Amino acid sequence: MLTLIVFLPLVGAILCAVVPKSQPTWPRWIAGIIAAVDLALVGWVITQFSRDGGLQFVEKFAWVPMANINYHLALDGLSLPMLFLSALLTLLAVIASWKLENKPAFYFAMLMLLQVGMNGVFLAMDFILFYVFWELVLVPMYFLIAQWGGERRQYAAMKFFLYTLLGSVFMLVGIIALYLKTNSFDIVWLQANAPALVPAGLQWWLFLAFFLGFAVKVPMWPLHTWLPDAHVEAPTAASVLLAGVLLKMGTYGFMRVSLPILPQAYLQWRGAIGILAAIAIVYGAAVAFAQTDLKKLVAYSSVSHMGFAMLGIAAGTAAGLDGAVAVNFSHGLTTGMLFFMVGMVYDRAHTREISKLSGLAGQMPVIAGLMAFASFASMGLPALSGFVGEFLSLLGAWQAWAGTPMQWAVAASSLGVLFGAAYMLWMLQRVVLGQPSYAIADLPDASLRDIVVIAPLVLLTVAVGVNWSLLLGYVDPAVRVLGKAVGI
């Protein structure tokens, strides 16, 4: 089943690429049907999933026996929410791109290929397979930005590719060094045996190599500079998948690889990661406050929100790790909504300048209402999904560091919640309220297709915010297993 979930979009990519040019509508239907079937398969897996914290749906056989490389896929509570996000946001991205007319076959083929890489990263349990899927996502995202992006799309695509490729090179060095010491690429085997086989000194250097690979993808301050450019220049669907899924590959890598395989080095590094996370939370929020471009504001807010996920990972407590996964999931929902809303406004007004978009509520009440909802969810208000992750991350960090100098970093991180509310309210005040500006006069409100795209994200944001166990019931058992491996 997991193989079908990973590679079904590859069939969609091939079909999109080979359809006759005389049938420009076929690629969107192929991508839509394939993405819907893939989401249905993930839904069936969720109904069969056992909440015992262990790996399930395991598929394993020899791939390159002479190098001890296996085709190994499996699923647990850490990867299930990310796999669901990948399937859901890909389908919504296809629907949001339905009217695209510029090279539709290539575009939808790239969306499908991107889903192959995203699904694969969250299911691979062999390092070589993990690395193949990790690198695969770079190619379609590069073309999505470079071909369908804004005026500086070539610069943004190149910067995204080089930054993330450089991080991947360090990760590959770590994988090879780990193999030379243990003679295994099997992530599950290494989680059980590497802590005893790899000396503490070597663990420190291996952790650094993996840190550079994962931290660039998160992205952690000060390795975040590629993100605002990529988001601003990318088309709406690519921005949604970049923020909603690709950034989560970094935090997922920390929890899948760095913590359980290199626990001694993690205990040495967690303080530094906590401080960098606190800086990212405050810095991202402060810089978001200064933005005049609506999309750039959302992009910098991602730096701040992902800082909460890294703070929970640095804490290493059950609450902190639960919070990290919850932040990941909620950020995928709320930032996905915000980027979709920005895209809807830009498609109509052809500007993202905040000063030119006043009075949305008077001209586009549905879009304005949905933007307000997404903003409040992003602030982390109680009863919405954003509150779950940020609360648990801060709680876990306080449990880990109360009474130590690190408590000041946790206290500073809590200011990020206040700053986040401030810049979102400032944005809503200038964009939603007031008299409709010249740029949005006579423009239409949300269409039925827009509502179809946003509705699932709104429902999930409320459902997870009201009933935390809807998400944490799957995540917490796997987090308990991870906590035992780390020894915290």
Side-chain angles (χ1 to χ4, degrees):
M1 177 57 71
L2 298 187
T3 295
L4 185 59
I5 289 173
V6 171
F7 290 105
L8 182 62
L10 180 61
V11 176
I14 295 171
L15 292 176
C16 287
V18 300
V19 296
K21 290 185 178 179
S22 59
Q23 302 294 337
T25 62
W26 287 14
R28 70 184 65 160
W29 281 104
I30 292 170
I33 292 170
I34 293 289
V37 172
D38 208 62
L39 178 60
L41 293 174
V42 173
W44 182 85
V45 165
I46 292 174
T47 64
Q48 304 300 310
F49 190 82
S50 174
R51 306 182 188 190
D52 60 5
L55 291 170
Q56 300 165 51
F57 301 94
V58 177
E59 299 174 11
K60 183 177 182 180
F61 58 83
W63 181 16
V64 187
M66 63 286 295
N68 200 19
I69 300 171
N70 297 310
Y71 177 85
H72 189 181
L73 301 180
L75 182 72
D76 67 359
L78 297 180
S79 44
L80 184 66
M82 302 300 105
L83 182 68
F84 175 73
L85 264 185
S86 172
L88 174 65
L89 291 181
T90 299
L91 176 60
L92 298 182
V94 170
I95 297 173
S97 308
W98 203 256
K99 296 294 184 181
L100 182 130
E101 296 179 351
N102 178 21
K103 302 177 182 176
F106 189 24
Y107 177 86
F108 287 106
M110 290 298 101
L111 280 185
M112 292 287 94
L113 190 60
L114 184 62
Q115 191 182 9
V116 176
M118 295 188 301
N119 289 352
V121 164
F122 297 126
L123 296 176
M125 294 297 158
D126 182 278
F127 260 129
I128 299 303
L129 197 60
F130 179 84
Y131 188 78
V132 168
F133 287 128
W134 185 278
E135 291 297 87
L136 178 62
V137 302
L138 298 186
V139 177
M141 183 53 74
Y142 169 82
F143 282 114
L144 285 169
I145 298 172
Q147 287 289 317
W148 293 274
E151 293 180 359
R152 299 172 69 242
R153 57 185 180 275
Q154 300 291 346
Y155 166 77
M158 184 65 72
K159 191 173 181 180
F160 157 78
F161 194 93
L162 292 180
Y163 260 68
T164 49
L165 180 63
L166 181 62
S168 302
V169 169
F170 284 108
M171 185 173 71
L172 181 61
V173 170
I175 292 172
I176 293 172
L178 191 60
Y179 174 77
L180 294 176
K181 186 65 181 178
T182 63
N183 196 36
S184 176
F185 289 117
D186 193 294
I187 293 174
V188 179
W189 187 89
L190 288 167
Q191 288 175 347
N193 298 284
L197 293 175
V198 183
L202 180 58
Q203 281 198 30
W204 193 94
W205 288 105
L206 292 176
F207 194 97
L208 174 61
F210 285 111
F211 172 85
L212 292 172
F214 299 145
V216 168
K217 192 74 83 178
V218 172
M220 288 191 73
W221 181 90
L223 306 173
H224 66 285
T225 59
W226 62 269
L227 182 71
D229 290 317
H231 270 313
V232 168
E233 299 303 328
T236 297
S239 287
V240 169
L241 292 174
L242 182 61
V245 185
L246 264 67
L247 304 190
K248 282 64 184 174
M249 289 165 50
T251 51
Y252 175 80
F254 275 107
M255 288 188 282
R256 177 64 69 198
V257 174
S258 302
L259 271 64
I261 294 179
L262 307 166
Q264 296 177 56
Y266 162 68
L267 295 177
Q268 295 175 305
W269 273 83
R270 58 195 288 258
I273 294 175
I275 291 172
L276 291 175
I279 294 173
I281 291 169
V282 177
Y283 167 83
V287 177
F289 219 133
Q291 300 308 309
T292 58
D293 184 300
L294 200 52
K295 204 172 185 183
K296 212 165 186 176
L297 183 150
V298 180
Y300 274 107
S301 76
S302 293
V303 176
S304 182
H305 287 302
M306 294 308 292
F308 281 105
M310 290 307 303
L311 186 68
I313 291 173
T317 59
L321 294 172
D322 278 342
V325 180
V327 168
N328 278 343
F329 188 78
S330 176
H331 183 257
L333 301 178
T334 58
T335 307
M337 273 192 284
L338 285 169
F339 277 123
F340 277 132
M341 302 313 304
V342 173
M344 292 174 195
V345 172
Y346 182 77
D347 288 344
R348 290 163 172 78
H350 303 294
T351 181
R352 297 188 301 263
E353 284 295 318
I354 293 174
S355 61
K356 298 179 180 177
L357 294 172
S358 64
L360 275 186
Q363 184 63 38
M364 308 175 193
V366 175
I367 288 180
L370 291 172
M371 181 173 287
F373 175 84
S375 300
F376 285 122
S378 180
M379 293 178 204
L381 291 188
L384 299 176
S385 63
F387 177 75
V388 183
E390 293 186 3
F391 172 77
L392 289 175
S393 294
L394 288 171
L395 175 64
W398 194 258
Q399 289 173 336
W401 289 312
T404 72
M406 278 297 294
Q407 68 181 352
W408 297 108
V410 180
S413 301
S414 64
L415 293 176
V417 178
L418 180 64
F419 292 164
Y423 67 71
M424 279 298 179
L425 290 174
W426 173 83
M427 182 274 289
L428 288 176
Q429 189 176 39
R430 299 186 65 185
V431 172
V432 172
L433 303 180
Q435 293 296 319
S437 65
Y438 177 78
I440 65 169
D442 302 324
L443 295 180
D445 203 351
S447 65
L448 178 60
R449 180 166 56 89
D450 296 330
I451 301 298
V452 168
V453 168
I454 298 298
L457 302 178
V458 172
L459 294 174
L460 283 168
T461 299
V462 175
V464 172
V466 172
N467 184 7
W468 296 16
S469 63
L470 196 63
L471 173 65
L472 298 181
Y474 294 96
V475 174
D476 190 64
V479 160
R480 301 285 174 176
V481 174
L482 178 60
K484 290 179 182 177
V486 177
I488 294 180

